[in-house]
Amino acid sequence: MADTKKAKLIFCKDYKIGEVDNRIYGSFIEHLGRAVYGGIYEPGHPEADENGFRKDVLNLVSELNVPIIRYPGGNFVSGYNWEEGVGPLEKRPRKTELAWGTIETNQVGTNEFMNWAKKAHSEVMMAVNLGTRGADAARNLVEYCNHPGGTYWSDLRKLHGYESPYKIKTWCLGNEMDGHWQICSKTAEEYGRIACETAKVMKWVDPTIELVACGSSSSATPTFASWEAEVLDHTYEYVDYISLHQYYGNHEKDTANFLAKTLDLDLFIKSIIATCDYVKAKKRSKKTINLSLDEWNVWFHSNNADKKIEKWSIAPPLLEDIYNFEDALLVGGMLITILKHSDRIKIACLAQLVNVIAPIMTSNNGSSWRQTIFYPFMHVSNYGRGYVLNPVISTPLYDSKDFTDVPVLEAAAVVNEEKEQLTIFAINKDLNDSLVLECDVRNFEGYKIVNHIVLENDDVYAVNTEKEPYKVKPHNNGNAKIDNGIITASLSKLSWNVIVLKK
Ligand code: AHR
């Protein structure tokens, strides 16, 4: 019999990483596949409200407690004329949508989405088109959305029936402009220049906005790091964040290696921080550029199915990854990694929210359900608000195909002072054995365990479907105990754990 595996954690109140910016629990809705049409919007569905928005979907979104949603793309935004999505519905053009090879009907546009986001209790992070358009369309959109009135674009908004300005605070300067797949992709110099001039005029229209410049589309792009350095060289003065995007897959069906990919994300984040700070040093600037991880998730299951989708369809089932149990574990690990960088990551968007690589699925004219990845996101979004603690961690390690010294235990803790609550998020990545955890929280005098939530499953490939929506779901029967400030728990093999303590 194998020796019992053990890990230790120590959390101390004063050993803080940073305050959580709640926008790290953001998500993303793109005009892509069935995210908008058939996802959030389906007039005629029995659950549709007076605006055609599905109430069942809104309820699931509210369970996730998403404070900000990026819109309208993604690759879509680089060919989008926002003016075609406002005003009378019957006048809106049907257009070929080149990013995904579909037809865009423009029945949902800026105002409809802002209305939906309000119902979802979310802010919007608006992206502007720096592919086929540029500074002029971008500054006009800021005027349309944020200017109170008395100008052409703000009065047009009023004419369209939306009296008050939306005061959209966070804006993306294009999307993945480094990628050859992007409509009108650019070199770092071309993008840096257009992003700088666009940022300048957008802020002249509304100086209260914050701007995100496009960083690399992934850590694997050939221009990664030099792209960020050059783009920031051009834009440093005008932007507040640099974006990064990261998706992982498990084509090889190698669970140990797949779960180790949080190490790659960690390195990617650290490298971008280093690059931002290099430009800061070079410019002798006092300003710090923070990170917006505005697309992250698992994405690979739907790759083959997508090749079979007929071109120029309307809202076809594109990027409909059906997530399994191990995907939920990686998503949990990615969330822990994001928390550990809460001093520099101020925005993060799980890509995406509904149907398209999403935690929420719907069927047209049918039901809606929670995918496996829904649960870790819901837990961290709801329990992970406050400040993040830096753990002292001692854990067994393993090696996998691409990684060495992978921690079997991955963990972070968040303190919510207002609620007098301490929450520990922990993953046991061991494929075969449970892990005995000892966690020292003596510094949190008087705290008691109120819940130990566990997501576990014997089958890493178990999925939730419309017919069987609850095959993978968490339970509250974890075995964590506390005695004199020392928590002990046995974390099941391959499990996601949320241990909640209250004073
Ligand atoms: O989220 C799906 C796509 O992934 C986005 O449109 C694009 O920005 C990224 O490549």
Side-chain angles (χ1 to χ4, degrees), residues 44-71:
H45 188 279
E47 289 280 344
D49 69 7
E50 68 287 1
N51 303 121
F53 296 127
R54 283 183 62 159
K55 287 181 279 183
D56 57 335
V57 173
L58 275 168
N59 288 338
L60 290 175
V61 173
S62 72
E63 282 181 32
L64 292 177
N65 202 357
V66 184
I68 191 162
I69 302 180
R70 186 165 172 254
Y71 174 84

mmCIF file of all heavy atoms in Angstrom, residues 44-71:
data_model
loop_
_atom_site.group_PDB
_atom_site.id
_atom_site.type_symbol
_atom_site.label_atom_id
_atom_site.label_comp_id
_atom_site.label_asym_id
_atom_site.label_seq_id
_atom_site.Cartn_x
_atom_site.Cartn_y
_atom_site.Cartn_z
ATOM 1 N N GLY A 44 -39.709 34.376 -28.231
ATOM 2 C CA GLY A 44 -40.555 33.226 -28.590
ATOM 3 C C GLY A 44 -40.303 32.028 -27.700
ATOM 4 O O GLY A 44 -41.112 31.099 -27.625
ATOM 5 N N HIS A 45 -39.176 32.025 -26.983
ATOM 6 C CA HIS A 45 -38.918 30.939 -26.024
ATOM 7 C C HIS A 45 -39.872 31.116 -24.844
ATOM 8 O O HIS A 45 -40.157 32.258 -24.441
ATOM 9 C CB HIS A 45 -37.455 31.013 -25.552
ATOM 10 C CG HIS A 45 -37.050 29.845 -24.716
ATOM 11 N ND1 HIS A 45 -37.362 29.762 -23.370
ATOM 12 C CD2 HIS A 45 -36.399 28.701 -25.025
ATOM 13 C CE1 HIS A 45 -36.894 28.606 -22.898
ATOM 14 N NE2 HIS A 45 -36.299 27.953 -23.886
ATOM 15 N N PRO A 46 -40.390 30.016 -24.275
ATOM 16 C CA PRO A 46 -41.317 30.167 -23.151
ATOM 17 C C PRO A 46 -40.740 30.984 -21.988
ATOM 18 O O PRO A 46 -41.486 31.601 -21.225
ATOM 19 C CB PRO A 46 -41.588 28.726 -22.692
ATOM 20 C CG PRO A 46 -41.054 27.840 -23.760
ATOM 21 C CD PRO A 46 -40.202 28.636 -24.687
ATOM 22 N N GLU A 47 -39.408 31.013 -21.857
ATOM 23 C CA GLU A 47 -38.785 31.771 -20.757
ATOM 24 C C GLU A 47 -38.400 33.199 -21.171
ATOM 25 O O GLU A 47 -37.774 33.913 -20.390
ATOM 26 C CB GLU A 47 -37.515 31.046 -20.288
ATOM 27 C CG GLU A 47 -37.762 29.762 -19.529
ATOM 28 C CD GLU A 47 -38.133 30.015 -18.076
ATOM 29 O OE1 GLU A 47 -37.917 31.123 -17.576
ATOM 30 O OE2 GLU A 47 -38.666 29.083 -17.454
ATOM 31 N N ALA A 48 -38.721 33.589 -22.411
ATOM 32 C CA ALA A 48 -38.279 34.924 -22.865
ATOM 33 C C ALA A 48 -39.064 36.024 -22.165
ATOM 34 O O ALA A 48 -40.274 35.903 -21.959
ATOM 35 C CB ALA A 48 -38.445 35.032 -24.377
ATOM 36 N N ASP A 49 -38.363 37.102 -21.798
ATOM 37 C CA ASP A 49 -39.058 38.242 -21.183
ATOM 38 C C ASP A 49 -39.541 39.188 -22.288
ATOM 39 O O ASP A 49 -39.433 38.877 -23.478
ATOM 40 C CB ASP A 49 -38.154 38.941 -20.144
ATOM 41 C CG ASP A 49 -36.972 39.672 -20.772
ATOM 42 O OD1 ASP A 49 -36.904 39.768 -22.029
ATOM 43 O OD2 ASP A 49 -36.108 40.158 -20.020
ATOM 44 N N GLU A 50 -40.027 40.359 -21.896
ATOM 45 C CA GLU A 50 -40.609 41.289 -22.869
ATOM 46 C C GLU A 50 -39.592 41.772 -23.911
ATOM 47 O O GLU A 50 -39.958 42.242 -24.977
ATOM 48 C CB GLU A 50 -41.283 42.469 -22.140
ATOM 49 C CG GLU A 50 -40.382 43.449 -21.386
ATOM 50 C CD GLU A 50 -39.774 42.899 -20.070
ATOM 51 O OE1 GLU A 50 -40.022 41.727 -19.706
ATOM 52 O OE2 GLU A 50 -39.013 43.653 -19.433
ATOM 53 N N ASN A 51 -38.287 41.624 -23.612
ATOM 54 C CA ASN A 51 -37.257 42.029 -24.583
ATOM 55 C C ASN A 51 -36.666 40.848 -25.346
ATOM 56 O O ASN A 51 -35.700 41.001 -26.094
ATOM 57 C CB ASN A 51 -36.119 42.775 -23.889
ATOM 58 C CG ASN A 51 -36.602 43.988 -23.134
ATOM 59 O OD1 ASN A 51 -36.411 44.098 -21.922
ATOM 60 N ND2 ASN A 51 -37.257 44.897 -23.840
ATOM 61 N N GLY A 52 -37.205 39.665 -25.110
ATOM 62 C CA GLY A 52 -36.692 38.482 -25.815
ATOM 63 C C GLY A 52 -35.531 37.803 -25.108
ATOM 64 O O GLY A 52 -34.918 36.876 -25.643
ATOM 65 N N PHE A 53 -35.203 38.249 -23.887
ATOM 66 C CA PHE A 53 -34.090 37.640 -23.155
ATOM 67 C C PHE A 53 -34.577 36.468 -22.322
ATOM 68 O O PHE A 53 -35.600 36.578 -21.628
ATOM 69 C CB PHE A 53 -33.411 38.677 -22.242
ATOM 70 C CG PHE A 53 -32.771 39.795 -23.006
ATOM 71 C CD1 PHE A 53 -33.072 41.121 -22.719
ATOM 72 C CD2 PHE A 53 -31.876 39.523 -24.031
ATOM 73 C CE1 PHE A 53 -32.494 42.157 -23.436
ATOM 74 C CE2 PHE A 53 -31.287 40.555 -24.757
ATOM 75 C CZ PHE A 53 -31.598 41.868 -24.459
ATOM 76 N N ARG A 54 -33.823 35.395 -22.360
ATOM 77 C CA ARG A 54 -34.237 34.190 -21.622
ATOM 78 C C ARG A 54 -34.018 34.385 -20.125
ATOM 79 O O ARG A 54 -32.882 34.581 -19.675
ATOM 80 C CB ARG A 54 -33.464 32.966 -22.148
ATOM 81 C CG ARG A 54 -34.010 32.459 -23.474
ATOM 82 C CD ARG A 54 -33.300 31.222 -23.949
ATOM 83 N NE ARG A 54 -33.438 30.088 -23.035
ATOM 84 C CZ ARG A 54 -33.263 28.821 -23.395
ATOM 85 N NH1 ARG A 54 -32.969 28.524 -24.664
ATOM 86 N NH2 ARG A 54 -33.374 27.858 -22.504
ATOM 87 N N LYS A 55 -35.087 34.258 -19.366
ATOM 88 C CA LYS A 55 -34.997 34.459 -17.908
ATOM 89 C C LYS A 55 -34.259 33.295 -17.243
ATOM 90 O O LYS A 55 -33.583 33.480 -16.229
ATOM 91 C CB LYS A 55 -36.404 34.615 -17.309
ATOM 92 C CG LYS A 55 -37.041 35.972 -17.641
ATOM 93 C CD LYS A 55 -38.404 36.116 -17.021
ATOM 94 C CE LYS A 55 -39.422 35.406 -17.883
ATOM 95 N NZ LYS A 55 -40.801 35.476 -17.499
ATOM 96 N N ASP A 56 -34.414 32.095 -17.804
ATOM 97 C CA ASP A 56 -33.703 30.957 -17.208
ATOM 98 C C ASP A 56 -32.189 31.186 -17.307
ATOM 99 O O ASP A 56 -31.433 30.891 -16.369
ATOM 100 C CB ASP A 56 -34.122 29.628 -17.870
ATOM 101 C CG ASP A 56 -33.910 29.613 -19.381
ATOM 102 O OD1 ASP A 56 -33.902 30.698 -20.010
ATOM 103 O OD2 ASP A 56 -33.734 28.519 -19.957
ATOM 104 N N VAL A 57 -31.747 31.763 -18.427
ATOM 105 C CA VAL A 57 -30.307 32.026 -18.605
ATOM 106 C C VAL A 57 -29.869 33.137 -17.645
ATOM 107 O O VAL A 57 -28.825 33.025 -16.984
ATOM 108 C CB VAL A 57 -30.009 32.390 -20.085
ATOM 109 C CG1 VAL A 57 -28.563 32.823 -20.258
ATOM 110 C CG2 VAL A 57 -30.329 31.213 -20.996
ATOM 111 N N LEU A 58 -30.690 34.167 -17.550
ATOM 112 C CA LEU A 58 -30.357 35.261 -16.618
ATOM 113 C C LEU A 58 -30.222 34.736 -15.187
ATOM 114 O O LEU A 58 -29.326 35.158 -14.448
ATOM 115 C CB LEU A 58 -31.441 36.341 -16.669
ATOM 116 C CG LEU A 58 -31.265 37.383 -17.778
ATOM 117 C CD1 LEU A 58 -32.526 38.220 -17.936
ATOM 118 C CD2 LEU A 58 -30.068 38.298 -17.507
ATOM 119 N N ASN A 59 -31.078 33.787 -14.822
ATOM 120 C CA ASN A 59 -30.980 33.220 -13.461
ATOM 121 C C ASN A 59 -29.657 32.487 -13.258
ATOM 122 O O ASN A 59 -29.018 32.615 -12.206
ATOM 123 C CB ASN A 59 -32.140 32.250 -13.187
ATOM 124 C CG ASN A 59 -33.443 33.000 -13.012
ATOM 125 O OD1 ASN A 59 -33.429 34.185 -12.696
ATOM 126 N ND2 ASN A 59 -34.561 32.341 -13.239
ATOM 127 N N LEU A 60 -29.245 31.740 -14.269
ATOM 128 C CA LEU A 60 -27.965 31.026 -14.138
ATOM 129 C C LEU A 60 -26.795 32.008 -14.103
ATOM 130 O O LEU A 60 -25.834 31.824 -13.350
ATOM 131 C CB LEU A 60 -27.795 30.017 -15.273
ATOM 132 C CG LEU A 60 -28.732 28.799 -15.214
ATOM 133 C CD1 LEU A 60 -28.568 27.914 -16.446
ATOM 134 C CD2 LEU A 60 -28.458 27.968 -13.963
ATOM 135 N N VAL A 61 -26.896 33.063 -14.906
ATOM 136 C CA VAL A 61 -25.824 34.076 -14.894
ATOM 137 C C VAL A 61 -25.745 34.702 -13.502
ATOM 138 O O VAL A 61 -24.651 34.919 -12.967
ATOM 139 C CB VAL A 61 -26.063 35.155 -15.982
ATOM 140 C CG1 VAL A 61 -25.064 36.298 -15.854
ATOM 141 C CG2 VAL A 61 -25.984 34.546 -17.380
ATOM 142 N N SER A 62 -26.903 34.931 -12.886
ATOM 143 C CA SER A 62 -26.852 35.577 -11.556
ATOM 144 C C SER A 62 -26.250 34.628 -10.516
ATOM 145 O O SER A 62 -25.612 35.084 -9.572
ATOM 146 C CB SER A 62 -28.202 36.136 -11.143
ATOM 147 O OG SER A 62 -29.057 35.088 -10.822
ATOM 148 N N GLU A 63 -26.397 33.321 -10.689
ATOM 149 C CA GLU A 63 -25.723 32.387 -9.761
ATOM 150 C C GLU A 63 -24.199 32.559 -9.849
ATOM 151 O O GLU A 63 -23.490 32.371 -8.874
ATOM 152 C CB GLU A 63 -26.068 30.933 -10.105
ATOM 153 C CG GLU A 63 -27.444 30.500 -9.632
ATOM 154 C CD GLU A 63 -27.734 29.043 -9.969
ATOM 155 O OE1 GLU A 63 -26.806 28.206 -9.987
ATOM 156 O OE2 GLU A 63 -28.912 28.753 -10.229
ATOM 157 N N LEU A 64 -23.729 32.903 -11.050
ATOM 158 C CA LEU A 64 -22.273 33.059 -11.224
ATOM 159 C C LEU A 64 -21.773 34.407 -10.699
ATOM 160 O O LEU A 64 -20.566 34.593 -10.536
ATOM 161 C CB LEU A 64 -21.892 32.904 -12.703
ATOM 162 C CG LEU A 64 -22.061 31.509 -13.299
ATOM 163 C CD1 LEU A 64 -21.708 31.533 -14.789
ATOM 164 C CD2 LEU A 64 -21.176 30.495 -12.587
ATOM 165 N N ASN A 65 -22.696 35.359 -10.490
ATOM 166 C CA ASN A 65 -22.322 36.636 -9.892
ATOM 167 C C ASN A 65 -21.199 37.320 -10.684
ATOM 168 O O ASN A 65 -20.102 37.549 -10.180
ATOM 169 C CB ASN A 65 -21.877 36.362 -8.445
ATOM 170 C CG ASN A 65 -21.979 37.576 -7.565
ATOM 171 O OD1 ASN A 65 -22.338 38.658 -8.029
ATOM 172 N ND2 ASN A 65 -21.644 37.404 -6.300
ATOM 173 N N VAL A 66 -21.510 37.607 -11.951
ATOM 174 C CA VAL A 66 -20.496 38.121 -12.889
ATOM 175 C C VAL A 66 -20.540 39.653 -12.922
ATOM 176 O O VAL A 66 -21.515 40.225 -13.397
ATOM 177 C CB VAL A 66 -20.784 37.594 -14.317
ATOM 178 C CG1 VAL A 66 -19.696 38.021 -15.277
ATOM 179 C CG2 VAL A 66 -20.917 36.085 -14.320
ATOM 180 N N PRO A 67 -19.517 40.330 -12.429
ATOM 181 C CA PRO A 67 -19.608 41.787 -12.327
ATOM 182 C C PRO A 67 -19.366 42.549 -13.631
ATOM 183 O O PRO A 67 -19.736 43.711 -13.741
ATOM 184 C CB PRO A 67 -18.529 42.143 -11.306
ATOM 185 C CG PRO A 67 -17.576 41.017 -11.348
ATOM 186 C CD PRO A 67 -18.291 39.802 -11.850
ATOM 187 N N ILE A 68 -18.720 41.891 -14.612
ATOM 188 C CA ILE A 68 -18.415 42.618 -15.862
ATOM 189 C C ILE A 68 -18.425 41.620 -17.021
ATOM 190 O O ILE A 68 -17.978 40.476 -16.854
ATOM 191 C CB ILE A 68 -17.070 43.386 -15.751
ATOM 192 C CG1 ILE A 68 -16.873 44.341 -16.924
ATOM 193 C CG2 ILE A 68 -15.882 42.447 -15.623
ATOM 194 C CD1 ILE A 68 -15.819 45.418 -16.688
ATOM 195 N N ILE A 69 -18.958 42.063 -18.157
ATOM 196 C CA ILE A 69 -19.020 41.150 -19.319
ATOM 197 C C ILE A 69 -18.459 41.861 -20.552
ATOM 198 O O ILE A 69 -18.904 42.953 -20.915
ATOM 199 C CB ILE A 69 -20.459 40.664 -19.564
ATOM 200 C CG1 ILE A 69 -20.976 39.955 -18.299
ATOM 201 C CG2 ILE A 69 -20.512 39.715 -20.771
ATOM 202 C CD1 ILE A 69 -22.382 39.424 -18.383
ATOM 203 N N ARG A 70 -17.470 41.231 -21.150
ATOM 204 C CA ARG A 70 -16.826 41.787 -22.344
ATOM 205 C C ARG A 70 -17.747 41.564 -23.545
ATOM 206 O O ARG A 70 -18.356 40.497 -23.685
ATOM 207 C CB ARG A 70 -15.478 41.080 -22.534
ATOM 208 C CG ARG A 70 -14.606 41.621 -23.624
ATOM 209 C CD ARG A 70 -13.187 41.073 -23.421
ATOM 210 N NE ARG A 70 -12.320 41.386 -24.532
ATOM 211 C CZ ARG A 70 -11.933 40.507 -25.444
ATOM 212 N NH1 ARG A 70 -12.323 39.240 -25.369
ATOM 213 N NH2 ARG A 70 -11.138 40.871 -26.427
ATOM 214 N N TYR A 71 -17.808 42.535 -24.469
ATOM 215 C CA TYR A 71 -18.754 42.499 -25.571
ATOM 216 C C TYR A 71 -18.271 43.483 -26.642
ATOM 217 O O TYR A 71 -17.679 44.504 -26.265
ATOM 218 C CB TYR A 71 -20.141 42.930 -25.036
ATOM 219 C CG TYR A 71 -21.195 43.067 -26.092
ATOM 220 C CD1 TYR A 71 -21.924 41.969 -26.534
ATOM 221 C CD2 TYR A 71 -21.471 44.314 -26.677
ATOM 222 C CE1 TYR A 71 -22.896 42.110 -27.522
ATOM 223 C CE2 TYR A 71 -22.437 44.442 -27.664
ATOM 224 C CZ TYR A 71 -23.139 43.339 -28.072
ATOM 225 O OH TYR A 71 -24.101 43.462 -29.046
#
